[in-house]
């Protein structure tokens, strides 16, 4: 029965996951805002938010696969950094945080670039 319960008692994993999703949303918004501002939009903030809401066009299967591979490799790299720095408490949080920010940034940037190519914007 112990294995069936999982690790829901430890909120640390959920906080890291929610942080990664929030960071992905912020970076995606920033990339959309920058693209809209460069194109001369009168309201780049509103248009960028609207673009994020209306992502109904799915990526091509190849781009979706590469996006998921980037996501999983970033998660694996973050996990490896957390495992490697498990004994050094002071270096663990900045190292894991930097790796997670870097991984999510690469993932969001790839999705932004392929979304623009797939939709023809």
């Amino acid at each position: 029965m112990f294995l069936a319960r999982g690790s829901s008692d430890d909120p640390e994993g959920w906080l890291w996951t929610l942080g990664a999703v929030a960071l992905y949303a912020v970076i995606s918004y920033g990339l959309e805002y920058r693209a809209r501002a460069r194109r001369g939009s009168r309201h780049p903030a509103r248009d960028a938010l609207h673009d994020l809401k209306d992502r109904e066009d799915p990526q091509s299967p190849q781009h979706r696969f590469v996006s998921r591979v980037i996501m999983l490799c970033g998660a694996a790299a973050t996990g490896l950094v957390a495992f490697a720095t498990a004994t050094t408490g002071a270096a663990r949080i900045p190292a894991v945080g930097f790796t997670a920010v870097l991984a999510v940034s690469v993932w969001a940037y790839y999705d932004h670039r392929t979304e623009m190519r797939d939709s023809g914007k």
Side-chain angles (χ1 to χ4, degrees), residues 89-109:
R92 185 178 195 186
I93 292 174
V96 171
F98 176 75
T99 307
V101 167
L102 183 65
V104 171
S105 299
V106 169
W107 179 35
Y109 184 74

Side-chain angles (χ1 to χ4, degrees), residues 29-67:
Y29 174 78
L31 290 169
E32 287 291 332
Y33 176 84
R34 191 181 95 200
R36 286 294 184 167
R38 284 185 174 180
R39 284 190 225 130
S41 175
R42 295 188 72 188
H43 304 286
R46 186 176 13 170
D47 292 341
L49 190 59
H50 183 70
D51 283 349
L52 289 178
K53 263 186 5 185
D54 291 338
R55 284 192 175 178
E56 293 180 11
D57 296 329
Q59 293 176 322
S60 69
Q62 180 184 7
H63 288 152
R64 183 174 170 83
F65 176 74
V66 172
S67 174

